[in-house]
Amino acid sequence: MQQAERIPFNLADPAPVRHDWQQSEAEALLALPFIDLVHRAQAVHRAHFDPNEIQISSLLSIKTGACAEDCAYCPQSARYDTGLPRQELLSLEEVLEAARRAKAQGAGRFCMGAAWRSPKDRDLERICRMIEGVKALGLETCVTLGMLTETQTRRLKEAGLDYYNHNLDTSEAFYPKIISTRTYQDRLATLERVRAAGLKVCCGGILGMGESDADRAGLLTQLANLPEHPHSVPINLLVQVQGTPLAGTEKLDPLVFVRTVAAARIMMPRSRVRLSAGRREMSDELQALCFLAGANSIFYGERLLTTDNPEAERDRSLFRRLGLRMAGPLAGD
Ligand code: SAM
Ligand code: DTB
Ligand code: SF4
C-alpha cells in the first residue's frame, strides 16, 4: 500500500505515458483500496477519452479448430477433445457477408481469427484479399493468425491491415504452465515484427487461469513496457470450455478483474482497454464497473470465435441504461 502511495498521482496530470513500470509498482496499484484505484483509473480515462463512448469490434473465426498448439485455455487445440467442429479457411464471400452484417449492427472494426500456430504464405495471400474486401466496406481490420515472419507482416501492411492481435496471455513466469509449444520470447518477437511493419498492435491477456496477483501485475508490466503501448489491450476472462485443461479452474473474484482493468487503464493511459471474452458470465453491474474503471471497448455480436458472447440486444439495452454511445465506424483509437 505504501508503495502505491508513492506512485506519483497528480489530478491535474493524472496520466503520464511511461514505459519504465516496475513489477512492484503494478502490484501496489492492484492492492490499492478499491475506491482509490477506480478513482485514479477514471481520472486517467477522462484525460484521454470521452468516458461515455465505447469502441465496438466484431469477431469472426475464419479457420476453426485442429490447431497444433497446446494453449491450455483454448477449445481449438487439436490436443483436447472439446467436441468443436473443425472448419477450413472460409471463402472471401463468406467473410465479406459476415463483415457486412457486423457493420449493419454497428461494429467499427472487424477482427478475423484463425486457429494456426502461424500462417502458410499461400493462406496469407487469401487473408490479404479478405482484408482488402473488409476495408472496402468502410470497416477497420484486425487479424489474429499466430506467429508471423517479417515478410508476412509486410504483406499484411501492404494489404491495408490496421491491427494485428497477438496476446501475451499472462506473465512470463506463469506462461509455461499454460503453453509449451511456443515461448514468451516467440510472442515478443512477433509483436516486434508487427510494430516494425507499422501495424497497430492489439495485445492483452486472459485472467482467471489460476494466476496470482503477481502474475497479473507481471502481464501489465510487460504490456506497458513494450516500446509502444499496444493500441488495443484486450482483457479476457477465461471462458472455461469442457475438455480443455483449464476447465474447472477456480473462478476469479470479479472485483480482482475490475482491479486489473483499472490498473491497465492507469499504466496504458491512451490505449483502448477492451472488455473481451467472458462478458456472457458477467452481470450488467460488473460490466458497468469495468467501464467505470476505464474499459472502453467490447467485442459485440452473438459469438466470439467459438464461444458465445452476450446477445446484441442485451448489449444495446445495457448501453442505453448506462448512457454509453458506440464509437462510430473508423472512430479507431
Ligand atoms: N491462433 C492464434 C493465436 O493464438 O495467436 C490466434 C487466435 S487465438 C484463439 C486468440 C486469443 O484468444 C488467444 O491468444 C487468447 O488470448 C484468446 N482465447 C482463446 N481461448 C480463450 C478462452 N477460452 N477464454 C478467453 N480467451 C481465450
Ligand atoms: C482476444 O484477446 N480475445 C478474442 C480475440 N482476441 C481474438 C478471442 C476470444 C476467444 C474466446 C474463446 C472462443 O470463443 O473461442
Ligand atoms: Fe491455437 Fe491460438 Fe488456440 Fe493456441 S490460442 S490453441 S494457437 S487457436
Side-chain angles (χ1 to χ4, degrees):
M1 213 64 71
Q2 279 167 356
Q3 169 95 30
E5 278 152 17
R6 286 204 303 273
I7 297 174
F9 180 59
N10 173 359
L11 254 184
D13 178 22
V17 173
R18 295 175 45 197
H19 297 271
D20 60 350
W21 285 90
Q22 302 295 312
Q23 161 94 16
S24 58
E25 289 179 291
E27 285 179 26
L29 271 181
L30 289 173
L32 275 175
F34 186 83
I35 304 298
D36 288 344
L37 175 59
V38 172
H39 175 246
R40 282 191 188 200
Q42 178 62 206
V44 170
H45 193 42
R46 283 169 182 265
H48 292 293
F49 291 100
D50 174 344
N52 300 309
E53 187 192 77
I54 306 285
Q55 185 271 335
I56 302 291
S57 292
S58 276
L59 269 173
L60 177 68
S61 181
I62 57 172
K63 184 268 167 184
T64 307
C67 183
E69 303 286 277
D70 70 351
C71 312
Y73 47 76
C74 187
Q76 304 203 65
S77 167
R79 298 168 193 235
Y80 317 131
D81 182 10
T82 60
L84 182 73
R86 301 167 172 198
Q87 169 69 61
E88 284 308 313
L89 189 59
L90 297 181
S91 70
L92 177 60
E93 197 35 55
E94 285 171 307
V95 171
L96 294 184
E97 185 49 42
R100 280 185 212 107
R101 274 199 308 273
K103 188 177 182 198
Q105 283 204 318
R109 191 179 308 166
F110 191 66
C111 309
M112 296 166 267
W116 286 324
R117 172 178 166 83
S118 52
K120 297 194 183 74
D121 288 339
R122 173 168 40 91
D123 289 332
L124 198 81
E125 289 310 311
R126 292 180 59 189
I127 305 277
C128 288
R129 303 291 87 73
M130 294 172 188
I131 292 164
E132 289 158 0
V134 172
K135 261 192 102 74
L137 298 174
L139 286 160
E140 290 183 317
T141 51
C142 177
V143 294
T144 180
L145 314 170
M147 292 184 284
L148 297 179
T149 64
E150 198 185 320
T151 317
Q152 291 177 327
T153 55
R154 213 168 330 114
R155 285 295 301 122
L156 290 170
K157 178 69 184 169
E158 284 163 8
L161 180 68
D162 297 300
Y163 293 82
Y164 193 76
N165 167 246
H166 197 62
N167 290 338
L168 285 177
D169 280 345
T170 189
S171 69
E172 190 165 10
F174 193 64
Y175 183 91
K177 298 212 162 52
I178 303 298
I179 298 146
S180 78
T181 48
R182 76 174 107 157
T183 67
Y184 213 71
Q185 288 310 316
D186 289 333
R187 290 193 186 245
L188 289 168
T190 289
L191 288 169
E192 179 49 31
R193 287 192 274 271
V194 168
R195 189 186 70 83
L199 294 164
K200 294 184 201 166
V201 170
C202 170
C203 182
I206 309 178
L207 310 183
M209 299 195 292
E211 75 286 344
S212 64
D213 280 330
D215 292 316
R216 288 181 281 273
L219 168 66
L220 294 181
T221 305
Q222 285 281 351
L223 293 169
N225 290 347
L226 289 170
E228 284 173 29
H229 290 171
H231 286 76
S232 297
V233 180
I235 308 284
N236 296 278
L237 177 64
L238 174 69
V239 179
Q240 298 197 8
V241 179
Q242 277 312 315
T244 61
L246 292 187
T249 304
E250 194 184 334
K251 294 277 167 67
L252 182 70
D253 175 352
L255 295 180
V256 172
F257 188 90
V258 180
R259 283 176 175 280
T260 311
V261 168
R265 166 52 64 226
I266 293 167
M267 293 171 70
M268 292 166 280
R270 297 182 183 173
S271 304
R272 282 276 172 193
V273 175
R274 180 171 308 119
L275 183 52
S276 302
R279 286 197 305 116
R280 203 157 181 273
E281 303 277 301
M282 295 182 194
S283 68
D284 292 349
E285 297 87 331
L286 175 57
Q287 293 186 60
L289 271 179
C290 290
F291 297 134
L292 190 64
N296 60 352
S297 171
I298 57 164
F299 286 123
Y300 176 70
E302 278 78 6
R303 216 141 171 79
L304 292 164
L305 289 174
T306 69
T307 65
D308 289 341
N309 202 33
E311 302 283 320
E313 180 45 38
R314 177 180 162 200
D315 281 339
R316 280 197 293 272
S317 152
L318 178 62
F319 276 41
R320 269 196 302 275
R321 288 160 65 214
L322 295 174
L324 292 173
R325 293 186 310 278
M326 294 184 180
L330 301 181
D333 53 16

